[in-house]
Amino acid sequence: MDATDDAHRLTTVEDLPENDSFLFTVRERDGSQEEVILVNGGDCIAAWKNFCQHETDQRLDRGFGAAMRDGDIICPKHGSMFDGCSGHCDNGKASGSTLLSVDVTEDDGEIYLTDRTCDFDHEGGIEEDDDDDMPSSSSHLTF
Ligand code: FES
C-alpha cells in the first residue's frame, strides 16, 4: 500500500509555484483545529503549522498567502525568516527556533497530506465566527 493511498490530495506542484504557499486547516486527534501552510521552498515542498515560534499567536499566513523570499517564510510581525524546507530560523527574534512540521508527500506531481496525527478539514484558515455571533463569554457563567 502506498503512503498516499488514503491520503488527502492537497494540490499539485504545478499549482504551487516557488515561493508560494497554500493555507489549509487540519483536525488534530484531540478534535482541535490547526492551520497549516504548504510551501514551495524551491528545493522542497513542505508544510508547517501556521504560527511563528517567537509569538505563537502570530500567524505566518494571515489569510492572503505567506510572505516568502528565496525559499524563506517571513514572519509578518518582526520579520524573522524561516527556511521553507527545514523550518529553521537563524535570525531575528525567532532565532534558534524551528517551525512545527506537518507531513506531506509529493507523488507524481500531486501533493498529499500524509501526517498520521491529523486529518484534512478544509482549505483556507480556521473560520472565525463573526464577532456579533459570539456570545459574551461572561454571560454564561453560573455559580
Ligand atoms: S512574532 Fe514572528 S518574529 Fe516575532
Side-chain angles (χ1 to χ4, degrees):
M1 177 168 152
D2 264 341
T4 56
D5 273 358
D6 59 357
H8 183 86
R9 178 186 165 283
L10 295 166
T11 185
T12 64
V13 176
E14 198 179 350
D15 287 335
L16 189 73
E18 191 170 336
N19 290 318
D20 209 351
S21 64
F22 171 81
L23 176 67
F24 63 99
T25 298
V26 296
R27 192 163 292 277
E28 308 212 295
R29 290 289 165 258
D30 66 0
S32 63
Q33 288 183 312
E34 191 76 68
E35 291 184 356
V36 178
I37 49 171
L38 176 71
V39 300
N40 183 340
D43 299 328
C44 69
I45 300 288
W48 309 103
K49 295 205 174 158
N50 185 29
F51 55 85
C52 184
Q53 294 298 299
H54 173 226
E55 291 180 9
T56 54
D57 61 350
Q58 177 60 51
R59 299 158 85 203
L60 299 167
D61 179 344
R62 291 173 293 176
F64 39 87
M68 291 188 70
R69 188 171 59 220
D70 298 335
D72 289 338
I73 304 162
I74 306 167
C75 174
K77 189 156 184 187
H78 301 117
S80 280
M81 293 182 291
F82 295 86
D83 185 295
C85 295
S86 71
H88 189 66
C89 175
D90 64 2
N91 57 86
K93 293 189 183 276
S95 185
S97 67
T98 303
L99 299 175
L100 303 184
S101 67
V102 174
D103 293 342
V104 291
T105 301
E106 183 195 333
D107 184 21
D108 208 16
E110 313 268 335
I111 305 166
Y112 298 88
L113 174 66
T114 48
D115 197 308
R116 303 222 170 267
T117 67
C118 59
D119 294 315
F120 181 82
D121 200 71
H122 61 267
E123 283 186 25
I126 295 171
E127 279 130 34
E128 282 158 37
D129 292 331
D130 294 335
D131 282 344
D132 33 35
D133 288 338
M134 295 281 282
S136 145
S137 57
S138 61
S139 64
H140 296 282
L141 287 179
T142 52
F143 294 95

